[in-house]
Amino acid sequence: MSPVLLRSGLAFAALGVAFLGALLVIDGVPGGWGLIALGLPLAGLLALGGDALRGDFGGTVRERGAALARQTRPWMVWLALYAALKVPVPLWPEGFSLLALLSTGALFAAALAYAWERAGGRRALVMAALASGVGLGVELLGSRTGFPFGVYTYAGAPAPTLLSVPLIVPLGWFALTLAATLLAGGRAWLAGLLMVAWDVGLEPLMTAQGYWTWQDPAPLWAGAPLQNFLGWWAVGTGLAWAFTRISPGTFGARRRARNLPTQQGAARVSPNVQAATAEPAPQPDLSRLTFGVAYPVETFFLPGGLVLVGRYVEAGVTLAAMLAGLALARAVRGRRA
């Protein structure tokens, strides 16, 4: 197993411990707080040095932490805030609407900061305005006419709203489309499929929280008809196609990542070598990281949110759909077609 996969797996396992603690807290079990206090910091430590548990774990964490600090871009800070705002949801269920607004706002800011860095301010603003505007427009059209998604309503949706549509919806359309298009390597049809997989989880979660209500006579999943997912694919594909025309250099399977500051790693003495032989410590390199990482982050949090509202089957289906989307994107990008 590669060091990156090992660290990621251990970090997600530690997050699972924290998530279990949150479930115990909800059930009134005091010990749940201990699991939360253990799991959250442990996840960060393992993400940095999980592959050095049998070596200089502390030194590796310090070196890699310093390297990450030097490489961190503004959009990464916003994305981290987005993820952090997801954490209190199990402990403050009645604050879901506020936390959803704040986390989606942070995700939008992360997407805008990333696009600004890679495509320039003008193109970033055009993409944000286009996706948010189209997203608001199709939601207004859909909730009033049933096209292109089916029959549903935003009546009773939590504030703040824009023309009766929850503000998080147009903000989300930009962030979702940018992440999917990056993950798809600029392939619009694949970005559309990734957004459909994302919506598989959004439908049961957001209807459970009262953001919209389905009234379609031909429901397929969580009240949504097949038409809804075809509509998501069509709108997502169209926006992704537009993004690749607005800023072609930002996307594409052969796009070369911008050279960002990296740390080569200080020399470290191997404990298994008697002589003073030094070996370089593998250091993290964020130069190839893109905003597409928001998708695997959601692959963890979205099914988790469904578990919290008691939608266990939906959580399993969502996890399977999003993992399949990640696998498909990896396979298609690997072909370099």
Side-chain angles (χ1 to χ4, degrees):
M1 180 182 294
S2 72
V4 173
L5 287 177
L6 177 60
R7 293 199 303 270
S8 300
L10 291 173
F12 274 108
L15 285 175
V17 170
F19 186 76
L20 174 61
L23 293 176
L24 293 177
V25 170
I26 293 174
D27 289 338
V29 179
W33 288 106
L35 293 180
I36 295 172
L38 172 66
L40 290 179
L42 184 60
L45 294 174
L46 291 174
L48 288 174
D51 58 332
L53 290 175
R54 296 184 179 181
D56 185 9
F57 178 71
T60 300
V61 168
R62 286 192 296 272
E63 290 176 14
R64 289 175 176 168
L68 284 178
R70 284 187 287 271
Q71 298 176 54
T72 299
R73 315 298 296 173
W75 70 267
M76 299 176 189
V77 177
W78 283 109
L79 188 62
L81 177 60
Y82 156 74
L85 287 167
K86 297 279 192 180
V87 174
V89 171
L91 309 177
W92 189 31
E94 61 273 16
F96 180 90
S97 59
L98 175 60
L99 292 171
L101 174 64
L102 293 176
S103 63
T104 304
L107 185 65
F108 178 89
L112 184 60
Y114 178 87
W116 199 292
E117 178 183 291
R118 300 301 176 101
R122 184 178 64 84
R123 289 186 175 91
L125 291 173
V126 169
M127 285 190 286
L130 174 65
S132 298
V134 169
L136 177 62
V138 294
E139 297 293 350
L140 285 172
L141 179 65
S143 60
R144 285 162 171 73
T145 68
F147 177 84
F149 304 119
V151 182
Y152 66 103
T153 178
Y154 282 116
T161 60
L162 182 61
L163 300 178
S164 79
V165 177
L167 182 59
I168 66 172
V169 173
L171 296 180
W173 268 104
F174 168 56
L176 297 178
T177 303
L178 181 64
T181 308
L182 286 164
L183 198 61
R187 297 170 178 83
W189 65 268
L190 179 54
L193 287 179
L194 290 171
M195 294 189 70
V196 169
W198 209 327
D199 187 50
V200 168
L202 288 178
E203 292 301 338
L205 179 62
M206 302 308 277
T207 52
Q209 297 294 336
Y211 276 83
W212 57 81
T213 303
W214 282 101
Q215 302 167 337
D216 199 272
L220 174 67
W221 173 253
L226 176 62
Q227 177 185 345
N228 170 71
F229 301 103
L230 294 176
W232 263 76
W233 181 83
V235 175
T237 297
L239 287 174
W241 178 87
F243 279 13
T244 61
R245 297 306 183 271
I246 294 169
S247 182
T250 303
F251 310 95
R254 296 179 176 85
R255 183 184 58 81
R256 307 186 78 175
R258 176 178 296 185
N259 292 325
L260 300 176
T262 61
Q263 174 69 23
Q264 293 301 316
R268 223 176 23 179
V269 177
S270 173
N272 297 322
V273 180
Q274 294 180 353
T277 304
E279 62 180 14
Q283 296 295 315
D285 180 7
L286 302 184
S287 63
R288 295 186 180 277
L289 191 65
T290 75
F291 182 72
V293 74
Y295 197 95
V297 170
E298 270 293 274
T299 303
F300 176 83
F301 282 111
L302 189 52
L306 286 165
V307 169
L308 291 175
V309 297
R311 302 292 183 90
Y312 304 112
V313 173
E314 290 87 343
V317 172
T318 298
L319 180 61
M322 297 185 74
L323 287 176
L326 286 169
L328 178 61
R330 182 182 179 87
V332 172
R333 286 172 62 93
R335 291 205 306 263
R336 298 283 183 180

